[in-house]
């Protein structure tokens, strides 16, 4: 049991991050904090992919005989990294759009507190 | 049982579409009432002619079929003008002609608003009714059934006052619920039987259906078509719908719409379940119970209505169940009596509604207690009323007697004395709620009736003709269009192979 | 030769025009509308051709950059995806034509940006439909979502907040999807849909696959706004500008539904998610909840667009129900309803737009019979669309319900059957409420005016708004009558073995 927990320690951290992110998105009243929660959530998933690509005793995926002796098994999986580059770009774009929206909300209502916003909208 | 011969013909389609084509013409000529009414009359005559041209074939036992298009995989939007269909279509389209003339008199005499919408909706209703009559399968039937529901709605709410609007809501609630239940029933039938075609004697012949599922399916069907057929406890939209103008009540709520429901009951009993299955699973007893209760309860309720049209409405509810009762007896005479009652009740009840409308237009009186002495002012109208009500009470030689006679004979054939007692009792109750009206009209002194006379000829002539037809049908049931032998033929095609 | 490249060309048209519109827009603002229309027209005609080609010749597969899958990304143009592409692009073409006037009025200065973002949205939608790669699907989901947030945010005063809420919920959804395909990838080593479908039966016992399935269903459930993940939808549709809501409401949730169908039926397989696991039943139950919830909420609304938004939640439930049934009739019902509902909802949102264009609002309580006189054709189209929504034959809406009814009977799910039937009645309540107002003089009004002497002039919206409305309304009748032609094609879209 302890081995199981210790053996998957990276996943526990990822789950923790996911929960922190969800908590931020759901419980925080300030919209910027919600956005921070969202970013943490996305980062957790990115880490999940990266940690999934890790192999013990493997090295960076650069094709060179001096590093791996031509054995594919000696490389870590490069695909998740490539995917996560895209995911990071997507995340950045999302945050950009979110900030644009927040600026508009602030201009119109002079607050970013969710409860106050809902009251002012009535 | 002879196998039904069929031939391809587009005439059933034309018969349906002709009044739809009239709709844009009616709307375009909305500013010229005479031209507008000309289109309605023209469409009515053409429609009747087309239906009539199908009659010779149907008497010989040949049905005109026409397939429009495939509407769902394996199910076509198909028309089939079999004897029963032609029978119903003849009644509906024939009475439309008279109702049109009467309507013109009524809406002009009453100075109704939105007459264009009125005539346009009327035309759509008739298309849907003929479509129902000629439907070759259940899905086609549903299509026209729903069109009829929607097309009648503007007519129910025509007066646009509070009463009419709430009547319209009630009407929609009942009929749309019935529509969706019917769709569920059709879905179940299609899943179990693999077909939805109407077939004399039923479509479940080779399919084993358990008692329980057959009963549930039958109850679904009963709820689906029973609303329009006014089977209690699903009837209460009909008295409410009397908020509509009287010609609407006359043609639609005494003939087209409610008879479509009854027509549906006949199709379900005779052409989907078939008498054998009905009998073996005891489904006919369910139907009998509903019909019997409806007949008695509706007649009792009719007794205490003071509003003339509402009394007529409850009478309609009762008489519709005569037809259902006849069908449920599952005996040749009962079945043919029931079907014949579709025709006889139509002529009689339309007479009575026409009379009620004439009184309303002329004197603006709706309640029976105000009708004292009216017979002296409107002798023709009230004479017609007398003939109609005598017929409904089952007094010879009016046509109502014939259908009732055969219903009674059917009850004896089926060995159901209860049904016979119900019929006799209801005859007495009919007399009980109609004769006081006649008594008031002719034998009591009225007040403030000076200066009033008959309504316009456009209304009185149709009234007299309808009353005369009722009498004529009573004396010579086969005089026109072989109505009676058609009823017998339909009955034998359905009951053909059925032995208790 | 073009048909081989069709899967790539259609998204690329939108990508190119998304870049071209702002560039040319700098030179001349008015050019953005014709460019957008041209791009949509072009891809709509290509998708007509493509659909016919695929139906006759079978699936077209396109490998991006010439890399063969599983290494490269594959675009798959099979009967289902080509059909949905056709529906989306055709409806968009009509919607864009309709939205010319609303956009010029509401978004005068932002026109160029608006059309550019619309093109991005369509790039996302078309990509989501055509792609055969799980991660690529994620990217397209995000492209379309980001474009969607932007399009919603340019609406009324409250719109940015609605868009922000949608952004948060939408991103959680998309992240769940990313997590789900992560599990799948680590279990199977592939992201290609067809290869994954071949590998899954060997590893399906693993609980990881189950977790992945649930994450993906939840994620796409958010995108298609299936109950109870619909929270973002009502506000977004209500506060978005007319042009956006009539664009996103008919097609946005449908693409999510398509993605759900694609993954469940073609990757996981109907057998796995509905027979071996109760996921199908769960989807169907939530869908039923959505049908009832959406319809009841729609009855309570006083604003037409908001009512339509809740009605969308209910209608999406039908598609969800069809997916959950996981039998041929359910599949037909879902695909047909995808088509029908995009037509119906577009028509109805057009009408809300027409009314806003003329009266400045679409408040149901203000409707009366002068509307019928002022806007006879708009109101006639409304009646047709409403009757179709209720599901009256022979209009289109009836037939999707008919197949769903057959599907529920086949699976002996009587509860679902009852839900379908009850929802028809609920639909009738909220649509007839409006029809009644529009076609009858309201009692209060006749008291106010006293006389009917003043003549109400016909004041119909301009042709560029009216004709699209009427085309779609007429389309509802045509689809209804010709549904067999479509259903016969839907049989070809079914996954093998259904």
């Amino acid at each position: 049991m302890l081995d199981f927990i210790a053996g998957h320690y990276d996943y526990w951290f990822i789950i923790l991050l996911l929960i922190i992110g969800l908590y931020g998105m759901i419980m925080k009243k300030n919209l910027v904090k919600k956005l921070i929660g969202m970013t943490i959530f996305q980062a957790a998933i990115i880490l999940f992919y990266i940690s999934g690509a890790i192999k013990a005793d493997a090295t960076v995926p650069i094709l060179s005989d001096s590093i791996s002796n031509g054995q594919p098994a000696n490389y870590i999986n490069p695909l998740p990294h490539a995917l996560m580059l895209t995911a990071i770009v997507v995340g950045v774009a999302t945050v950009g759009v979110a900030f644009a929206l927040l600026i508009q909300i602030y201009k119109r209502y002079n607050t970013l507190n969710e409860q106050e916003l809902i009251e002012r909208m009535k | 049982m002879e196998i039904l011969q069929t031939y391809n013909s587009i005439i059933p389609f034309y018969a349906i579409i002709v009044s739809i084509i009239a709709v844009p013409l009616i709307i375009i000529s909305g500013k010229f009432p005479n031209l507008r009414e000309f289109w309605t009359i023209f469409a009515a005559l053409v429609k009747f002619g087309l239906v009539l041209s199908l009659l010779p074939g149907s008497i010989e036992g040949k049905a005109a079929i026409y397939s429009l298009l495939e509407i769902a995989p394996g199910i076509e939007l198909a028309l089939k003008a079999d004897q029963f269909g032609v029978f119903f279509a003849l009644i509906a389209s024939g009475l439309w002609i008279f109702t049109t003339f009467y309507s013109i008199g009524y809406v002009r005499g009453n100075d109704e608003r939105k007459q264009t919408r009125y005539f346009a909706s009327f035309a759509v209703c008739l298309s849907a009714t003929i479509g129902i009559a000629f439907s070759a399968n259940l899905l086609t039937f549903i299509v026209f059934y729903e069109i009829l529901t929607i097309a009648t709605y503007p007519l129910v709410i025509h007066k646009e006052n509070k009463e009419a609007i709430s009547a319209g809501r009630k009407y929609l609630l009942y009929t749309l619920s019935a529509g969706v239940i019917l769709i569920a029933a059709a879905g179940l039938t299609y899943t179990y039987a693999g077909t939805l075609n109407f077939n004399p004697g039923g479509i479940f012949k080779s399919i084993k259906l358990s008692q329980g599922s057959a009963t549930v399916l039958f109850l679904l069907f009963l709820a689906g078509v029973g609303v329009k057929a006014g089977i209690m406890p699903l009837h209460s939209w009909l008295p409410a719908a009397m908020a509509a103008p009287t010609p609407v009540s006359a043609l639609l709520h005494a003939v087209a719409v409610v008879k479509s429901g009854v027509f549906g009951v006949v199709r379900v009993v005779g052409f989907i379940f078939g008498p054998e299955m009905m009998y073996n699973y005891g489904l006919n007893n369910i139907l009998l119970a509903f019909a019997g209760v409806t007949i008695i309860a509706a007649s009792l309720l009719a007794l205490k209505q003071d509003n003339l049209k509402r009394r007529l409405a409850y009478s309609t509810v009762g008489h519709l169940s005569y037809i259902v009762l006849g069908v449920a007896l599952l005996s040749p005479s009962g079945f043919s009596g029931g079907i014949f009652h579709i025709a006889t009740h139509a002529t009689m009840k339309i007479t009575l509604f026409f009379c009620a409308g004439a009184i309303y237009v002329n004197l603006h009186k709706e309640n029976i207690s105000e009708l004292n002495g009216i017979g002296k002012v409107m002798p023709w109208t009230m004479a017609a009323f007398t003939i109609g009500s005598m017929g409904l009470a089952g007094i010879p030689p009016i046509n109502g007697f014939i259908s009732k006679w055969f219903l009674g004979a059917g009850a004896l054939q089926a060995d159901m004395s209860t049904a016979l007692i119900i019929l006799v009792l209801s005859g007495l109750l009919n007399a009980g709620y109609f004769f006081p009206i006649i008594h008031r009209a002719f034998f009591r002194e009225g007040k403030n009736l000076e200066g009033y006379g008959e309504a316009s000829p456009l209304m009185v002539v149709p009234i007299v003709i309808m009353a005369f037809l009722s009498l004529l049908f009573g004396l010579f049931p086969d005089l026109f269009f072989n109505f009676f032998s058609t009823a017998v033929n339909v009955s034998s095609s359905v009951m053909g192979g059925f032995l208790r | 030769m073009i048909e081989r490249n069709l899967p790539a060309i259609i998204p690329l048209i939108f990508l190119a025009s998304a870049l071209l519109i702002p560039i040319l827009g700098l030179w001349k603002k008015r050019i953005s509308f014709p460019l957008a229309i041209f791009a949509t027209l072009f891809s709509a005609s290509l998708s007509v051709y493509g659909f016919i080609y695929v139906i006759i010749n079978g699936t077209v597969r396109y490998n991006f950059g010439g890399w063969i899958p599983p290494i490269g990304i594959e675009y798959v143009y099979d009967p289902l995806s080509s059909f949905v592409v056709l529906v989306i692009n055709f409806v968009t073409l009509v919607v864009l034509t309709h939205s010319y006037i609303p956009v010029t009025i509401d978004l005068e200065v932002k026109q160029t940006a608006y059309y550019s973002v619309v093109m991005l949205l369509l790039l996302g939608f078309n990509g989501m439909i055509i792609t055969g790669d799980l991660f690529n699907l994620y990217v397209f989901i995000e492209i379309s979502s980001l474009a969607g947030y932007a399009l919603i945010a340019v609406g009324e005063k409250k719109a940015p907040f609605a868009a922000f809420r949608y952004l948060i919920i939408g991103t959680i959804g998309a992240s769940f999807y990313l997590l789900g395909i992560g599990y799948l990838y680590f279990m199977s080593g592939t992201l290609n849909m067809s290869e994954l479908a071949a590998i899954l039966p060997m590893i399906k016992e693993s609980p990881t696959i189950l977790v992945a399935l649930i994450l993906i269903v939840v994620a796409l459930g958010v995108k298609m706004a299936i109950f109870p993940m619909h929270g973002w939808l009502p506000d977004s549709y209500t506060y978005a500008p007319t042009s956006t809501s009539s664009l996103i409401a008919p097609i946005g949730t449908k693409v999510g539904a398509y993605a759900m169908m694609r993954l469940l039926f073609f990757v996981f397989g109907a057998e796995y998610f509905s027979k071996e696991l109760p996921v199908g039943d769960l989807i169907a139950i939530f869908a039923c909840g959505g049908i009832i919830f959406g319809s009841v909420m729609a009855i309570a609304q006083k604003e037409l667009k908001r009512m339509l938004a809740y009605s969308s939640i209910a209608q999406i439930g039908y598609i969800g129900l069809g997916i959950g049934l996981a039998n041929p009739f359910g599949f037909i019902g879902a695909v047909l309803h995808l088509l029908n509902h995009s037509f119906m909802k577009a028509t109805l949102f057009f009408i809300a737009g027409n009314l806003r264009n003329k009266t400045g609002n679409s408040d149901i309580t203000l409707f009366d019979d002068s509307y019928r006189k002022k806007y006879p054709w708009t109101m006639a189209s409304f009646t047709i669309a409403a009757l179709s929504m209720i599901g009256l034959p022979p209009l289109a809406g009836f037939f999707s319900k008919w197949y769903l009814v057959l599907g529920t009977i086949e699976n002996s799910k009587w509860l679902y059957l009852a839900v379908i039937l009850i929802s028809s009645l609920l639909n009738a309540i909220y649509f007839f409420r409006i029809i009644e107002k529009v076609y009858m003089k309201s009692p209060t009004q006749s008291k106010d005016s006293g006389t009917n002497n003043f003549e109400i002039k016909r004041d119909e919206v301009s042709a560029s708004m009216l004709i699209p409305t009427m085309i779609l309304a007429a389309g509802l009748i045509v689809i209804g009558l010709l549904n067999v032609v479509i259903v016969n094609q839907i049989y070809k879209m079914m996954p093998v073995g259904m």
Side-chain angles (χ1 to χ4, degrees):
Chain A
M1 186 64 196
L2 217 57
D3 279 350
F4 177 75
I5 294 173
H8 294 80
Y9 72 95
D10 48 346
Y11 293 106
W12 301 120
F13 277 113
I14 289 164
I15 289 171
L16 192 65
L17 280 178
L18 283 174
I19 291 170
I20 293 172
L22 269 179
Y23 169 82
M25 276 190 280
I26 295 165
M27 301 303 286
K28 288 291 171 193
K29 294 283 168 256
N30 189 302
L31 296 187
V32 178
K33 288 184 181 168
K34 276 179 188 288
L35 190 60
I36 293 170
M38 193 190 88
T39 321
I40 295 173
F41 192 78
Q42 282 181 324
I45 293 170
I46 291 168
L47 288 176
F48 167 72
Y49 269 80
I50 301 300
S51 69
I54 299 294
K55 267 187 274 183
D57 302 328
T59 181
V60 287
I62 297 168
L63 193 59
S64 160
D65 289 342
S66 62
I67 298 174
S68 69
N69 314 323
Q71 290 294 318
N74 292 345
Y75 290 121
I76 63 168
N77 187 351
L79 187 64
H81 295 77
L83 297 180
M84 282 314 105
L85 273 178
T86 318
I88 290 167
V89 172
V90 169
V92 169
T94 314
V95 172
V97 173
F99 275 132
L101 294 177
L102 288 179
I103 291 168
Q104 281 301 319
I105 295 172
Y106 192 76
K107 268 187 188 164
R108 292 177 195 198
Y109 294 98
N110 270 321
T111 180
L112 286 176
N113 185 301
E114 193 175 24
Q115 259 164 356
E116 277 180 41
L117 268 172
I118 291 170
E119 266 166 37
R120 284 179 203 190
M121 276 184 183
K122 274 178 189 160
Chain B
M1 183 169 47
E2 61 185 323
I3 289 173
L4 194 66
Q5 286 179 303
T6 56
Y7 63 99
N8 277 309
S9 163
I10 199 171
I11 290 177
F13 176 64
Y14 286 149
I16 292 170
I17 207 75
V18 63
S19 48
I20 295 268
I21 293 173
V23 170
L25 297 172
I26 290 171
I27 292 171
I28 290 168
S29 40
K31 294 233 160 53
F32 314 99
N34 287 331
L35 180 63
R36 181 185 67 201
E37 265 75 295
F38 164 77
W39 291 121
T40 305
I41 295 166
F42 185 68
L45 289 172
V46 171
K47 185 180 274 275
F48 185 65
L50 286 168
V51 176
L52 204 56
S53 73
L54 291 167
L55 185 69
S58 84
I59 289 175
E60 289 167 29
K62 286 192 227 157
I65 54 169
Y66 182 70
S67 173
L68 288 166
L69 50 98
E70 203 181 5
I71 198 154
I75 307 172
E76 287 184 321
L77 192 67
L79 306 172
K80 180 170 166 188
D82 63 358
Q83 263 189 323
F84 188 35
V86 174
F87 174 83
F88 183 47
L90 267 180
I91 298 167
S93 61
L95 294 180
W96 189 31
I97 301 175
F98 296 105
T99 312
T100 305
F101 284 106
Y102 179 84
S103 284
I104 297 168
Y106 182 90
V107 294
R108 293 189 182 177
N110 229 359
D111 209 16
E112 295 275 351
R113 297 186 304 116
K114 299 191 176 171
Q115 296 185 9
T116 306
R117 182 178 79 187
Y118 172 87
F119 282 107
S121 310
F122 227 120
V124 179
C125 282
L126 259 293
S127 274
T129 310
I130 306 299
I132 286 171
F134 288 161
S135 295
N137 58 46
L138 191 57
L139 202 62
T140 317
F141 179 85
I142 291 175
V143 170
F144 288 112
Y145 199 73
E146 297 279 16
I147 293 176
L148 183 62
T149 301
I150 295 303
T152 317
Y153 175 69
L155 295 171
V156 173
I157 57 157
H158 185 83
K159 284 182 186 160
E160 299 191 357
N161 51 22
K162 280 228 167 67
E163 190 200 353
I165 289 175
S166 74
R169 287 181 185 162
K170 195 168 193 177
Y171 167 78
L172 278 183
L173 175 70
Y174 275 78
T175 48
L176 287 178
S177 315
V180 297
I181 292 172
L182 195 56
I183 289 168
L188 285 165
T189 310
Y190 184 66
T191 311
Y192 290 137
T195 175
L196 287 177
N197 290 338
F198 291 132
N199 183 28
I203 54 175
F204 284 114
K205 278 185 180 149
S206 54
I207 295 116
K208 278 274 169 234
L209 208 60
S210 73
Q211 166 96 39
S213 20
T215 312
V216 169
L217 186 55
F218 183 72
L219 286 175
L220 284 175
F221 268 119
L222 195 58
V225 290
V227 165
K228 283 207 173 103
I231 295 173
M232 279 185 184
L234 307 172
H235 68 286
S236 77
W237 64 272
L238 186 58
M242 289 301 132
T246 309
V248 176
S249 311
L251 185 62
L252 299 178
H253 299 141
V255 184
V257 174
V258 290
K259 295 286 157 60
S260 301
V262 175
F263 187 85
V265 173
V266 178
R267 284 290 196 212
V268 168
V269 171
F271 297 76
I272 287 185
F273 281 89
E276 276 171 56
M277 187 158 157
M278 290 287 294
Y279 185 71
N280 292 340
Y281 286 154
L283 302 176
N284 63 328
N285 291 329
I286 300 175
L287 199 56
L288 270 177
F290 275 112
V293 169
T294 308
I295 292 174
I296 299 298
S299 307
L300 289 173
L301 283 169
L303 273 175
K304 57 171 225 191
Q305 304 298 326
D306 189 37
N307 184 306
L308 180 55
K309 279 178 74 182
R310 286 181 78 87
R311 187 173 286 193
L312 292 178
Y314 276 105
S315 159
T316 305
V317 172
H319 277 273
L320 293 170
S321 279
Y322 273 39
I323 304 165
V324 177
L325 183 85
V327 172
L329 286 171
L330 294 181
S331 62
S333 292
F335 209 94
S336 43
I339 290 174
F340 191 58
H341 200 59
I342 294 180
T344 55
H345 176 251
T347 56
M348 295 182 295
K349 195 44 78 52
I350 213 167
T351 314
L352 297 186
F353 271 115
F354 279 2
C355 293
I359 295 168
Y360 176 70
V361 170
N362 228 16
L363 304 170
H364 292 286
K365 286 183 177 168
E366 289 181 311
N367 291 334
I368 294 163
S369 48
E370 301 167 344
L371 297 183
N372 290 352
I374 201 170
K376 299 197 177 72
V377 186
M378 306 172 77
W380 287 101
T381 308
M382 289 319 289
F385 192 92
T386 311
I387 292 177
S389 35
M390 279 167 68
L392 286 173
I395 295 170
I398 325 286
N399 56 1
F401 167 71
I402 296 178
S403 39
K404 204 169 259 187
W405 174 264
F406 277 91
L407 286 172
L412 290 179
Q413 271 179 355
D415 209 13
M416 298 220 189
S417 45
T418 338
L420 192 61
I421 295 169
I422 289 173
L423 285 170
V424 172
L425 196 59
S426 137
L428 291 174
L429 287 169
N430 266 287
Y433 59 73
F434 278 130
F435 291 174
I437 307 175
I438 301 168
H439 175 77
R440 274 180 191 278
F442 285 107
F443 301 111
R444 288 211 192 167
E445 280 306 314
K447 289 176 196 154
N448 306 329
L449 289 171
E450 294 83 22
Y452 288 108
E454 286 286 1
S456 82
L458 270 173
M459 299 172 76
V460 177
V461 172
I463 292 175
V464 173
I465 292 176
M466 290 324 300
F468 184 64
L469 275 180
S470 305
L471 195 60
L472 215 55
F473 269 124
L475 295 169
F476 313 103
D478 251 351
L479 182 63
F480 299 107
F481 319 133
N482 302 57
F483 267 136
F484 187 69
S485 28
T486 305
V488 174
N489 286 343
V490 173
S491 163
S492 64
S493 78
V494 172
M495 293 293 164
F498 172 63
L499 293 169
R500 273 165 198 273
Chain C
M1 209 37 223
I2 188 171
E3 51 269 3
R4 289 277 131 218
N5 300 318
L6 215 56
I9 289 176
I10 291 176
L12 284 178
I13 291 171
F14 289 115
L15 181 59
S17 47
L19 298 172
L20 209 58
I21 287 173
I23 294 169
L24 290 179
L26 284 177
W27 164 57
K28 209 173 189 183
K29 210 191 308 172
R30 299 188 65 85
I31 206 164
S32 43
F33 174 73
L35 266 177
I37 283 285
F38 176 74
T40 322
L41 182 66
F42 188 35
S43 49
S45 16
L46 277 182
S47 32
V48 174
Y49 173 67
F51 178 63
I52 296 168
Y53 181 84
V54 167
I55 286 295
I56 294 169
N57 297 315
T59 305
V60 176
R61 287 171 187 279
Y62 179 88
N63 302 321
F64 249 88
W67 294 91
I68 309 294
I71 292 172
I73 291 172
E74 184 186 38
Y75 276 23
V76 181
Y77 210 58
D78 67 357
L80 181 61
S81 58
S82 60
F83 176 72
V84 182
V85 164
L86 174 62
V87 173
I88 300 290
N89 288 338
F90 177 76
V91 172
T92 307
L93 180 63
V94 182
V95 172
L96 282 185
T97 319
H98 177 268
S99 64
Y100 173 65
I101 291 176
V103 169
T104 346
I105 294 171
D106 297 348
L107 307 165
E108 169 68 83
V109 285
K110 302 173 192 157
Q111 260 191 64
T112 315
Y114 179 83
Y115 285 114
S116 174
V117 178
V118 166
M119 291 297 114
L120 275 180
L121 179 82
L122 290 171
L123 164 69
F125 284 158
N126 280 287
M128 276 172 78
I129 300 164
I130 297 175
T131 188
D133 184 272
L134 289 171
F135 188 79
N136 203 230
L137 178 59
Y138 166 75
V139 174
F140 280 121
I141 288 177
E142 283 293 35
I143 291 177
S144 63
S145 302
L146 287 173
Y149 308 143
L151 290 178
I152 289 167
V154 291
E156 294 171 15
K157 196 181 174 197
K158 295 175 186 172
F161 184 54
F164 185 79
R165 289 228 298 230
Y166 180 22
L167 183 140
I168 294 286
I169 300 173
T171 309
I172 298 180
S175 306
F176 274 167
Y177 175 79
L178 192 58
L179 204 54
I181 60 169
Y183 282 141
L184 286 182
Y185 173 67
F186 291 134
M187 288 303 292
S188 68
T190 181
L191 285 168
N192 182 283
M193 289 185 194
S194 36
E195 197 173 86
L196 184 60
I199 295 175
L200 268 180
M202 295 177 250
I203 52 172
K204 68 184 174 188
E205 271 75 33
S206 161
T208 314
I209 302 296
L210 173 63
V211 174
L213 172 65
I214 289 170
L215 284 171
I216 288 174
V217 167
V218 169
L220 296 175
V222 171
K223 285 293 153 201
M224 68 185 273
I226 214 164
F227 179 82
M229 293 163 279
H230 61 275
W232 57 271
L233 188 144
D235 279 352
S236 314
Y237 283 12
T238 314
Y239 302 130
T242 306
S243 43
T244 305
S245 41
S246 46
L247 182 65
I248 294 186
I251 59 176
T253 48
K254 306 301 169 307
V255 180
Y258 163 83
M260 178 94 97
M261 290 170 93
R262 171 63 66 188
L263 291 184
L264 287 184
F265 286 109
F266 292 84
V267 177
F268 288 99
E271 187 80 7
Y272 175 67
F273 84 86
S274 73
K275 300 261 165 59
E276 297 172 28
L277 295 171
V279 174
D281 269 336
L282 282 176
I283 296 175
I285 286 170
F286 282 123
C288 286
I291 293 174
I292 299 295
F293 169 83
S295 308
V296 171
M297 288 301 285
I299 293 173
Q301 300 309 316
K302 291 195 172 65
E303 213 280 331
L304 184 58
K305 270 171 84 176
R306 208 169 174 79
M307 185 191 100
L308 294 178
Y310 278 106
S311 140
S312 282
I313 295 170
Q315 299 288 319
I316 274 296
Y318 287 123
I319 301 177
L321 181 59
I323 296 173
L325 286 171
N327 61 22
F329 282 127
F331 186 85
I332 295 175
V335 176
L336 195 61
H337 202 65
L338 193 150
L339 166 70
N340 292 343
H341 185 241
S342 60
F343 270 59
M344 293 188 282
K345 246 325 124 51
T347 318
L348 290 168
F349 270 103
F350 282 0
I351 288 151
N354 292 356
L355 292 180
R356 287 189 169 214
N357 180 244
K358 279 292 169 191
T359 65
N361 68 62
S362 50
D363 190 337
I364 296 171
T365 48
L366 298 178
F367 285 18
D368 60 33
D369 101 322
S370 65
Y371 278 47
R372 177 181 64 85
K373 293 189 179 119
K374 286 189 220 157
Y375 328 114
W377 294 109
T378 301
M379 283 304 149
S381 312
F382 178 83
T383 310
I384 291 176
L387 294 182
S388 175
M389 290 284 281
I390 297 168
L392 291 173
L395 295 166
F398 167 74
F399 291 97
S400 29
K401 272 185 196 164
W402 170 251
Y403 294 109
L404 288 175
V405 163
L406 292 181
T408 52
I409 293 172
E410 194 174 299
N411 281 12
S412 306
K413 302 284 188 196
W414 309 120
L415 176 70
Y416 306 164
L417 179 61
V419 167
I420 296 177
L421 302 181
I422 291 169
S423 87
S424 288
L425 296 177
L426 295 174
N427 280 350
I429 293 174
Y430 60 80
F431 280 115
F432 266 105
R433 183 180 59 159
I434 297 175
I435 292 177
E436 199 182 85
K437 274 184 197 288
V438 169
Y439 283 90
M440 273 182 285
K441 182 150 268 166
S442 53
T444 51
Q445 203 214 6
S446 55
K447 260 180 229 155
D448 293 345
S449 53
T451 50
N452 293 333
N453 288 341
F454 71 99
E455 192 69 12
I456 297 168
K457 288 263 166 56
R458 181 175 293 201
D459 187 24
E460 193 57 272
V461 289
S462 57
S464 79
M465 294 178 80
L466 184 60
I467 290 170
T469 317
M470 288 171 68
I471 285 178
L472 288 188
L476 289 173
I477 303 174
V478 175
I479 295 173
L481 291 175
L482 298 182
N483 79 87
V484 169
V485 180
I486 300 162
V487 168
N488 285 337
Q489 305 311 321
I490 295 177
Y491 275 109
K492 293 181 191 158
M493 297 168 201
M494 281 185 197
V496 185
M498 195 171 217

